[in-house]
Amino acid sequence: MINSNVTFHGTPLESIFRTSKKTIQEYVREIDRHCRYKSVQSQVSRGVVLDDRGALMDLYDACVQQDAHLSAVLETVESQIIGERYMLAKQNERGKYIKDVEETKKILGSQFTKIIKGIVESKWYGYTLLEIMPEINPLTGKLAEVNIIERRNVLPNQRRVVQHQGQWMPGWDIDAAQYTTNYILINTGTLGLFSATTPLILAKKFTLANYVNFSHTYGQPIIHGKTESESIQDRQRLAQNIANAAQNKIIVTGLNDDVDIKTFTMSNSEHIYSSLIDFVNKEVSNLIVGSESMAGETQSYVGSTNAHQDIFRERIEVYREYIENVMNEEVLPRLVAMGYIKPGLEFKYANRVEMSNKDKINLYSFITDKYEVSADEIEKEFGIIVGKQFNATSGIVGGTSGMVGGSSNDRGIMSDEEYYKRYGHGRGERRVTNKVNFLTEEE
């Protein structure tokens, strides 16, 4: 069976995958190839494969598959750009975006998520070729098929897809009229962010392997047994008993036999490996998300953590702006031409601050003390069904210039009954007193 993910316009593509046992030398060779391409691209006639990045994609994929830290960082980014954070909206005369609920539902699905992931991956890999089919799923009413064309068969700078990796013919020009409607090439013009992380991760992989060998050699203690017997059989029996003691937890020796454990004094040798691994992890985190603390590291000071969070939010904002630009300039016009999205709408991320649950609770506590917040908003944010808000004032009562019942300190926390018992009059009513002026002379 033909997998649609490895086809172009229904034609199967042939690619070669080599993602095991990658070395620094292979990375250097691919960088040399790219430099040669950039040097001669204007002098070579069309019809020659120059911008073949298949081997570079092997290096990138190998690092993503085999490095847990890089995969975790990418998952962190995807968690911030996918979900109910974006909408289709129209801008009014005051510059405010008004969400179109019905049209937004069309872009909340698995196929549309592929489009967003493909756009973000173009920053990492350098390019992405999206295939958007016009068919609609009759069960969901959403796009039925969106694919990311295999990068090994795409020549991004030459804007061509080849059926056989590394061969010019047969192939398809992406700029041809019959393909421009359904295919979108997102090319950053660079080798992507992975070009900087790949040599670090390859070095980390060999560092980790050496670290394991070092631990096996020097990390395990040696159990030393000593006996006065000159018999080889007695010595072998003691050695066997010592070996079995690891499982049996019991060892019986002769009267004059000695058993001791010789451990090596820890030195700075093992820190060479751990420091290199930590260095690589920090560099990868800083490059992808802008901060190592947002990718698993811990900070000693609250101020340092807050600074890293601000940098992380700024980097996520850059990702979102990049997605918005590609969506509005490349994707939405094609969806409108297909009749899937009505014209006049823009793709926009919700203008809200990403914060922790603790910060959200503090914010809502601050807001509800001064403004009335609907129960639907609380339920949508926290999943808690609430009733009437106690401290929501109804505004100016009885022309008292903001004073309820003649007092500016009443926030409506007490019930009406409690208020009457305490002050002797209802909320919003003025106390009527009979004052007697004893200084006035009687007539």
Side-chain angles (χ1 to χ4, degrees):
M1 297 185 62
I2 298 175
N3 189 340
S4 60
N5 288 333
V6 292
T7 64
F8 181 89
H9 213 64
T11 303
L13 304 178
E14 296 182 6
S15 305
I16 303 174
F17 296 81
R18 300 185 179 94
T19 59
S20 62
K21 298 182 179 180
K22 310 309 290 184
T23 63
I24 295 288
Q25 288 75 15
E26 293 180 66
Y27 172 77
V28 174
R29 185 164 59 245
E30 292 309 309
I31 297 300
D32 287 340
R33 182 206 298 268
H34 184 70
C35 291
R36 288 195 302 269
Y37 153 70
K38 293 180 69 68
S39 301
V40 302
Q41 59 178 331
S42 60
Q43 305 171 9
V44 179
S45 60
R46 185 168 178 81
V48 179
V49 174
L50 295 176
D51 194 24
D52 181 12
R53 303 191 196 176
L56 198 59
M57 294 303 110
D58 289 336
L59 288 163
Y60 290 173
D61 288 345
C63 292
V64 175
Q65 293 171 2
Q66 300 170 19
D67 188 73
H69 180 78
L70 177 60
S71 298
V73 171
L74 302 183
E75 288 289 337
T76 300
V77 174
E78 291 183 5
S79 69
Q80 297 297 315
I81 61 174
I82 296 175
E84 296 184 0
R85 293 180 170 89
Y86 47 80
M87 60 183 176
L88 289 178
K90 180 180 293 185
Q91 194 174 19
N92 61 14
E93 63 277 1
R94 292 182 298 174
K96 182 180 179 180
Y97 283 92
I98 307 301
K99 180 179 180 180
D100 191 317
V101 179
E102 292 301 322
E103 294 298 307
T104 300
K105 291 180 180 178
K106 298 180 181 179
I107 65 171
L108 297 177
S110 59
Q111 300 303 314
F112 210 84
T113 298
K114 289 183 183 179
I115 298 177
I116 296 179
K117 292 182 64 175
I119 295 174
V120 176
E121 287 178 355
S122 67
K123 292 182 68 71
W124 301 335
Y125 289 91
Y127 63 96
T128 296
L129 180 59
L130 292 173
E131 179 185 53
I132 304 177
M133 294 289 101
E135 289 79 14
I136 305 299
N137 189 333
L139 299 177
T140 62
K142 300 178 181 180
L143 291 176
E145 184 179 5
V146 172
N147 300 309
I148 299 177
I149 302 301
E150 175 54 51
R151 292 184 177 86
R152 292 167 177 80
N153 294 83
V154 178
L155 309 178
N157 290 348
Q158 294 180 281
R159 303 185 64 82
R160 185 174 175 84
V161 179
V162 295
Q163 184 175 359
H164 307 287
Q165 178 182 341
Q167 301 179 16
W168 185 266
M169 294 294 293
W172 305 267
D173 290 331
I174 302 173
D175 295 329
Q178 63 267 36
Y179 304 124
T180 54
T181 303
N182 303 107
Y183 295 90
I184 305 172
L185 177 62
I186 308 167
N187 185 10
T188 62
T190 66
L191 294 180
L193 294 179
F194 284 163
S195 65
T197 62
T198 297
L200 294 172
I201 293 174
L202 292 177
K204 172 187 171 183
K205 182 174 68 172
F206 289 104
T207 300
L208 185 61
N210 292 333
Y211 188 24
V212 172
N213 293 334
F214 176 87
S215 299
H216 285 176
T217 305
Y218 300 102
Q220 300 297 326
I222 296 177
I223 302 177
H224 174 239
K226 182 172 61 175
T227 178
E228 292 183 347
S229 175
E230 297 292 337
S231 173
I232 297 179
Q233 289 78 9
D234 293 341
R235 294 179 180 179
Q236 291 178 344
R237 189 182 304 110
L238 179 60
Q240 187 63 40
N241 291 337
I242 292 174
N244 295 335
Q247 295 181 353
N248 300 332
K249 305 295 187 299
I250 297 174
I251 181 173
V252 179
T253 65
L255 182 62
N256 297 319
D257 294 340
D258 293 330
V259 176
D260 62 336
I261 299 177
K262 296 185 179 296
T263 58
F264 290 94
T265 303
M266 298 302 292
S267 63
N268 292 328
S269 301
E270 72 280 359
H271 295 312
I272 297 174
Y273 304 101
S274 59
S275 298
L276 284 174
I277 293 173
D278 291 339
F279 167 76
V280 171
N281 289 342
K282 289 181 179 180
E283 290 296 304
V284 171
S285 300
N286 288 332
L287 186 63
I288 303 297
V289 298
S291 171
E292 66 267 17
S293 69
M294 306 308 297
E297 289 289 335
T298 58
Q299 298 295 322
S300 301
Y301 304 101
V302 175
S304 177
T305 301
N306 293 336
H308 284 287
Q309 289 177 349
D310 292 339
I311 296 173
F312 171 73
R313 293 191 182 102
E314 291 293 333
R315 183 64 63 87
I316 294 300
E317 187 64 26
V318 171
Y319 278 107
R320 292 179 177 179
E321 290 179 358
Y322 180 71
I323 294 172
E324 288 178 353
N325 292 335
V326 176
M327 282 289 184
N328 293 321
E329 296 172 6
E330 300 288 345
V331 178
L332 283 189
R334 288 171 169 83
L335 295 180
V336 171
M338 295 177 187
Y340 181 65
I341 299 294
K342 68 180 183 182
L345 298 176
E346 295 182 41
F347 179 90
K348 186 71 177 177
Y349 272 92
N351 188 20
R352 70 178 188 180
V353 179
E354 299 289 343
M355 59 183 68
S356 64
N357 290 332
K358 181 180 178 181
D359 293 336
K360 289 180 182 178
I361 294 173
N362 293 336
L363 175 64
Y364 274 84
S365 299
F366 172 78
I367 292 176
T368 53
D369 195 41
K370 294 177 173 58
Y371 302 95
E372 182 178 356
V373 181
S374 66
D376 294 338
E377 181 66 24
I378 302 295
E379 182 180 357
K380 182 179 70 174
E381 189 65 37
F382 298 103
I384 301 174
I385 300 176
V386 297
K388 181 181 178 181
Q389 187 171 338
F390 288 132
N391 60 344
T393 60
S394 58
I396 301 176
V397 180
T400 57
S401 300
M403 296 171 60
V404 181
S407 173
S408 61
N409 296 325
D410 180 21
R411 295 182 297 168
I413 297 177
M414 294 183 291
S415 64
D416 293 341
E417 292 79 5
E418 292 174 335
Y419 189 93
Y420 185 83
K421 290 179 181 179
R422 173 170 293 188
Y423 297 107
H425 60 88
R427 178 177 279 112
E429 299 177 356
R430 291 184 178 274
R431 182 191 297 270
V432 179
T433 59
N434 296 324
K435 298 181 179 179
V436 179
N437 192 346
F438 295 97
L439 299 179
T440 305
E441 296 182 358
E442 294 183 0
E443 296 181 357

